[in-house]
Amino acid sequence: MEKSDHKHAVVTVAICFLIAVIEGLDIQAAGIAAAGISEHFGLDKPQLGVFFSAGILGLLPGALAGGRFADRIGRKKVLICSTAVFALFTLCTVWVNSFHSLLAVRFLAGAGLGAAMPILITLASEAVSPQNRGRAVGLMYCGMPVGAALLSLIAATDFGSNWKNVFYLGGLLPIVVIPLMMLLLPESREFLQAQNQAESADNAAPKASFKDLFNEDNRIRTLCIWVSYFFTLMVVYIMLSWLPSLFMELGFSRKEGSTAQFYFMASAAIGTIILGMLTDRWKKAYVIILMYGGMLAGLFALNGAGSLTQMYMASALVGAFVIGCQGVLYAFGGIVYPTAMRGTGVGVGSAVGRIGAMLGPAIAGQLLAAGFGAAGVISAAIPCIIISAVFMLLLVRRIGQ
């Protein structure tokens, strides 16, 4: 039995990791393809900003619907459907011929991706024992920076210099993974068990609703998760969107900025795994203090980087803790909510986080336009980190871990 449980967990986490790699590719894709898309469609800077926002905006309804349906009809079915939606509309990005249709397909691709993310977290959480949830989510989520780092390398080749190839890659890879999911991905045993219990109790599937997030048991937990997701993702997306520009603002070349971004993503993959493992082994409060303290240290190091080596080291430090922290927060979503509403809880939390993800880059852009420079953007991120840390410590106290 233990052997079959182990195989179940390995297959689930491995397939979820592959989908997370594809998410990482997509996160980098818009930035890498921006110059080519701008030229092809004749876009100005504000229109390009709207193009960036369309994909992130799609993540919102996707995350809400994906988690909800996963609690109703099963994790596996919804993950396959959402991956197919993402693949189809990513390929459509290459075939559309107007700015408005470009925005529509980016929004719909984002919705597919947004629906997949809470299900990946839920599946990885439920494939292992409660004692190993942080590790499982960390191993799964490290696929995101791995995908982003891979696309950074691909972008430096002749293949990556054509913006259409970036979206062909992003659309065809999930089509390859879908048959693997259909054949190999097991449905969550916890979900099946909860469904069977509910059916034997009242002959109906478990019906967790959005209002259950605010019942007596979950109200404080939900509030803490929402605030932490919101402010942490705000910082994550400021870094993801503006890092190359911030490096240039600090006096480094575009090529040096791209290299630093690779260091950022490579160390993010390692940080996500290590922080995920520590979540299972340490007291949760220690992990939170370490990860938010590490984020602050990384931002101060980035602001004070005088040489190229210092900048690369600061980028690696920021990447390890900023992206690693996101992985830990997702693991907490899996720990905090019971099985019948885990998909809903993580999905709504992800959607709230995506609002922060949309606002963060826009606020950073305004600060840069107002002349505050890289130091102003980095300083603005510091209160966000402190607020997130305080609410996560409150959550840990609430759940007694």
Side-chain angles (χ1 to χ4, degrees):
M1 184 67 183
E2 271 185 33
K3 199 173 176 184
S4 94
D5 284 352
H6 180 69
K7 187 183 171 190
H8 173 104
V10 169
V11 170
T12 300
V13 173
I15 290 175
C16 290
F17 169 85
L18 286 176
I19 307 287
V21 168
I22 292 163
E23 183 188 0
L25 287 169
D26 186 73
I27 282 172
Q28 288 289 89
I32 284 168
I37 282 177
S38 189
E39 193 184 324
H40 183 82
F41 288 94
L43 309 183
D44 56 23
K45 283 273 193 304
Q47 286 176 314
L48 200 57
V50 176
F51 163 73
F52 286 143
S53 299
I56 301 172
L57 187 63
L59 296 168
L60 264 170
L64 286 169
R68 190 88 183 90
F69 283 118
D71 281 342
R72 285 297 179 97
I73 62 172
R75 314 332 191 183
K76 180 176 175 175
K77 286 177 196 165
V78 183
L79 184 60
I80 290 168
C81 291
S82 56
T83 306
V85 167
F86 166 71
L88 173 66
F89 289 107
T90 298
L91 286 173
C92 285
T93 310
V94 180
W95 303 326
V96 294
N97 53 16
S98 74
F99 176 56
H100 292 294
S101 52
L102 178 71
L103 295 183
V105 296
R106 279 307 287 162
F107 175 84
L108 291 164
L113 200 59
M117 200 62 218
I119 305 169
L120 296 179
I121 297 153
T122 305
L123 273 170
S125 296
E126 292 176 354
V128 295
S129 63
Q131 296 79 25
N132 292 314
R133 279 187 175 149
R135 186 183 314 179
V137 174
L139 284 167
M140 177 280 292
Y141 195 69
C142 82
M144 195 277 278
V146 167
L150 284 172
L151 197 65
S152 297
L153 292 177
I154 291 164
T157 66
D158 288 341
F159 176 84
S161 62
N162 182 340
W163 71 270
K164 289 191 175 185
N165 289 344
V166 171
F167 289 105
Y168 277 128
L169 188 68
L172 292 171
L173 276 176
I175 289 172
V176 173
V177 177
I178 286 168
L180 282 177
M181 286 196 283
M182 293 168 85
L183 290 169
L184 301 175
L185 182 67
E187 179 55 275
S188 160
R189 288 176 183 172
E190 278 194 39
F191 169 77
L192 294 173
Q193 209 174 351
Q195 197 176 43
N196 289 338
Q197 282 170 355
E199 279 174 358
S200 59
D202 63 359
N203 206 30
K207 288 186 173 61
S209 69
F210 289 123
K211 64 174 187 275
D212 289 336
L213 297 174
F214 292 97
N215 65 23
E216 207 173 313
D217 292 335
N218 294 319
R219 194 179 304 131
I220 305 291
R221 299 175 181 204
T222 296
L223 178 70
C224 291
I225 284 270
W226 283 13
V227 172
S228 296
Y229 274 32
F230 179 88
F231 284 108
T232 303
L233 264 79
M234 187 180 265
V235 176
V236 168
Y237 276 79
I238 286 173
M239 291 296 124
L240 287 173
S241 304
W242 287 102
L243 212 54
S245 305
L246 293 180
F247 292 140
M248 290 171 76
E249 186 85 29
L250 292 164
F252 299 97
S253 73
R254 183 172 288 280
K255 187 166 185 272
E256 288 163 346
S258 299
T259 308
Q261 196 152 25
F262 177 76
Y263 280 108
F264 175 93
M265 285 302 177
S267 75
I270 298 162
T272 305
I273 294 170
I274 293 171
L275 284 171
M277 291 171 96
L278 292 177
T279 304
D280 294 330
R281 294 185 179 184
W282 286 10
K283 283 190 74 169
K284 304 285 190 279
Y286 296 161
V287 179
I288 287 156
I289 291 163
L290 170 69
M291 69 189 190
Y292 284 110
M295 281 167 81
L296 287 172
L299 290 176
F300 285 127
L302 200 60
N303 209 17
S307 70
L308 196 57
T309 309
Q310 284 176 347
M311 188 185 73
Y312 289 158
M313 287 172 72
S315 301
L317 188 63
V318 172
F321 285 104
V322 168
I323 306 290
C325 175
Q326 198 182 354
V328 171
L329 287 192
Y330 283 145
F332 264 91
I335 292 164
V336 162
Y337 292 112
T339 305
M341 59 181 302
R342 189 169 289 130
T344 303
V346 174
V348 178
S350 296
V352 171
R354 300 300 182 184
I355 298 170
M358 283 188 288
L359 289 175
I363 292 167
Q366 293 294 327
L367 289 170
L368 288 171
F372 284 97
V377 173
I378 290 166
S379 303
I382 291 167
C384 299
I385 292 167
I386 293 166
I387 292 166
S388 296
V390 168
F391 275 86
M392 281 308 289
L393 289 168
L394 283 172
L395 175 65
V396 165
R397 198 168 167 196
R398 178 79 182 176
I399 62 176
Q401 292 199 29

